[in-house]
Amino acid sequence: MLQTTFVLAFREIRRHILRSFLTLLGIVIGVFSVITMVTLGNGATEAIRTSIASLGSDVLQIRPGQNAGPGGGNGEVPPPFDPADVEAIREQISGVTAVTGLAQTQGSAIRNAQNWSTTISGTTNGYFIAQKWALSKGRQFSPGEEQAGKSVCVIGQTIVDNLFKGIDPVGQNFRIKGISCSVVGVLEARGQGNFGNDQDDTVIMPIKAVQRQMTGNQDIRAIMVGLNPEYDAATIRKSITGLLRERRGLGSDKADDFNVLDAKQISDTVSGTVNILTMLVGGVAGVSLLVGGIGIMNIMLVSVTERTREIGIRLAIGALSHEVLLQFLVEAIVLSCLGGITGMVLALMACVIAAPLMGLPFLFDVQINALSFLFSAQIGVVFGYFPARRAARLNPIEALRYD
Amino acid sequence: MAEPLIALRGVTKTFGEGDAAFQALRGVDLEVTQGDFVAVMGASGSGKSTTMNILGCLDTPSSGSFIFKGGHVEQLDVDQRAMLRRRYLGFVFQGFNLLARTSALENVELPLLYRGEAPQNRHKIAMTALDRVGLVPWADHTPAQLSGGQQQRVAIARAIVTEPDILLADEPTGNLDSERSVEIMELLTQFNTDLGITILMVTHEAEMAAYARTIIRFKDGVVEAVERR
Ligand SMILES: Nc1ncnc2c1ncn2[C@@H]1O[C@H](COP(=O)(O)OP(=O)(O)OP(=O)(O)O)[C@@H](O)[C@H]1O
Ligand SMILES: [Mg+2]
């Protein structure tokens, strides 16, 4: 019975290829645009996410300072952190891969006649872990160098370009903020950071060297915390905030006097925005899918009129009215599903071609594909039903007389 | 005489309502016995087609009863009547009424499809029916590629493919020249005698009615006369 209906429906579709094709077209375009938009949108989101992640997601940066805003910022400069804060985070917070304090200062780097003003960061090897920043040459600090606060450094590519043009900097000496320092390693080039800053314009030294010979105090300007991605970042963030509030003696009536900056958060915000855009464009495309559905209804209705006589013949030679209904319904569903599949295949082909051209990754989104397909099948049911019912209700005598 | 296969008793049919109401049948009584070949004649507008539609379970009487194989058809619902059509009735129309763009074979197969016949059987039975009307070489032709006489033969093959008890033909030769008409009448006669199919045929032409054993004459919505030969 159902098989019969399918046979009839397929015969009918084959017999009217052009009409079937036109009916399909609306659905094809609808499904095509939904899937293309969403797939490329997802690719864009992913591209943004990875580019931000490569700049150190899974890293928290904690700095003294107040949040601007109502009730915050009373003019006092909040105190810096001290080495014990770093120790406390390392020992008391679970889910952190590396914790390292950062003592920062500005200074001139001088070699031969070249002079370059840069940022000097005093830190530990944990910094490289937290920042997921590998070395292109040389090595990290040895435990002895960190312990003793030796005057050694790992330098960024910008320093290499400005002070060591054409020579291997590893093992070389130069003067930085008045002291002599020998290069043990070179960082991989990273280019611009999130905020347009040159990340490679940096000199990294053991924290003790910077504190003792440059800043002259134990102050820590920033704490970098590497996060184990298996732990929930928000939870870690909360426990760090709690711990630091306690250590800094902030009562419950006081606002935080430090910021926990989270690259992941920035990334989430940005990709959230892109997601909204994707949904918006996808929604517009969805409307075109709906229009495609109305197209199906239109053509099915026309074909009921066109095929009135045929329906009369079918009824006269023994078709039950629900069989006629089913035939029309199956025709509509088969058409819209065919349209759905065609649209899907075309969209995936377009995405595979377009994504690399646009510099985006191609991400196959099972959900949107399944959804578009089901939706187009649904369209067949909904918009096919009305014409089908009309066909089934025809009076066979009148239908036979129709021309 | 045996129990009639079909009996109409006091059948009326009114089209429209109120002032526009028109009574096309005003109390038709008739009986058809199994195996008969009946020609229905009468002036235009006398109610022949209306009666055929009722007999064909395509329409229902306004009053009166229609007894088929001892059962009251006027009490059946739409689907039950459709089942009667599917099982016991075959139709041939003046305008052939074949499905366009559909091969002769597929047209003949159609009733079998609705009856749920398996594909292999379908093909075999349909080819047998086409053979009976001498159209096997034209099995793949669509109606547009067939002459009027050939189209009507396909329609007859389609009507008898399910081996119905009754074949209802409303002016089957109305659109054909006399030579083609004779061919059709010979086919009908052959099915009547060889397969024992009861035939009811509307015709305006005395030469065609001459093939029948019984002639029922209509006049103004009632049966005027029944002639048996
Ligand atoms: N659906 C309908 N609505 C209104 N009147 C109808 C309808 N069908 C038939 N009639 C009327 O009923 C009467 C009988 O019609 P019917 O078709 O049975 O005549 P007929 O004997 O077959 O004539 P013909 O030889 O011309 O085919 C006619 O006057 C016709 O106008
Ligand atoms: Mg008539």
Side-chain angles (χ1 to χ4, degrees), chain B residues 44-45 47-50 94 170-171 202 204:
Chain B
S44 190
K48 304 182 298 292
S49 293
T50 308
Q94 179 176 1
D170 196 344
E171 303 187 39
V202 174
H204 285 286

Side-chain angles (χ1 to χ4, degrees), chain A residues 27 106 156 159 299 319 359 377:
Chain A
I27 298 288
Q106 299 288 317
I159 309 296
I299 292 182

Side-chain angles (χ1 to χ4, degrees), chain A residues 176-200:
Chain A
I176 177 94
K177 205 162 179 164
I179 65 170
S180 174
C181 178
S182 74
V183 178
V184 296
V186 177
L187 289 164
E188 271 180 356
R190 271 206 170 166
Q192 285 203 340
N194 289 351
F195 310 103
N197 52 322
D198 179 4
Q199 298 186 102
D200 298 325

Side-chain angles (χ1 to χ4, degrees), chain A residues 1 3-5 7-8 11-12 14-16 19 306 309-324 327 395-397 400-401, chain B residues 49 53 56 58-59 78-80 82-83 85-86 89 91 93 95-103 106-107 109-111 113-114 116 119 122 158:
Chain A
M1 162 67 211
Q3 196 197 344
T4 305
T5 314
V7 171
L8 289 174
R11 273 191 194 170
E12 221 37 58
R14 247 206 349 250
R15 203 163 285 147
H16 302 277
R19 186 178 75 198
E306 208 180 81
R309 206 177 170 71
E310 172 203 323
I311 293 163
I313 296 169
R314 289 181 188 282
L315 290 169
I317 64 175
L320 303 180
S321 68
H322 75 258
E323 290 172 330
V324 172
Q327 184 194 331
N395 175 336
I397 305 167
L400 277 172
R401 202 176 286 153
Chain B
S49 293
N53 288 340
L58 292 168
D59 209 347
V78 173
D79 278 352
Q80 288 170 320
M83 292 309 288
R85 287 203 291 276
R86 178 184 288 191
L89 304 177
F91 289 90
F93 307 91
F96 317 141
N97 280 336
L98 298 175
L99 291 193
R101 277 179 275 192
T102 304
S103 72
E106 281 184 337
N107 263 294
E109 271 185 354
L110 208 56
L113 227 123
Y114 283 117
R122 219 155 63 203
R158 185 180 64 187

Side-chain angles (χ1 to χ4, degrees), chain A residues 213-255:
Chain A
Q213 301 186 58
M214 295 179 183
T215 63
N217 56 37
Q218 293 275 296
D219 293 355
I220 289 178
R221 303 304 313 166
I223 303 173
M224 316 276 305
V225 181
L227 302 179
N228 181 338
E230 281 164 26
Y231 285 73
D232 177 38
T235 311
I236 297 175
R237 195 185 158 93
K238 219 151 89 199
S239 22
I240 291 176
T241 307
L243 176 65
L244 288 177
R245 283 181 66 88
E246 193 183 305
R247 294 185 60 82
R248 291 160 80 87
L250 297 175
S252 54
D253 56 325
K254 291 258 185 69

Side-chain angles (χ1 to χ4, degrees), chain A residues 301-356:
Chain A
L301 274 175
V302 168
S303 82
V304 169
T305 315
E306 208 180 81
R307 289 159 65 186
T308 299
R309 206 177 170 71
E310 172 203 323
I311 293 163
I313 296 169
R314 289 181 188 282
L315 290 169
I317 64 175
L320 303 180
S321 68
H322 75 258
E323 290 172 330
V324 172
L325 180 118
L326 210 61
Q327 184 194 331
F328 269 72
L329 206 55
V330 168
E331 274 184 51
I333 294 170
V334 166
L335 279 180
S336 53
C337 286
L338 270 177
I341 291 171
T342 313
M344 218 155 90
V345 170
L346 288 180
L348 294 181
M349 272 160 41
C351 287
V352 166
I353 295 168

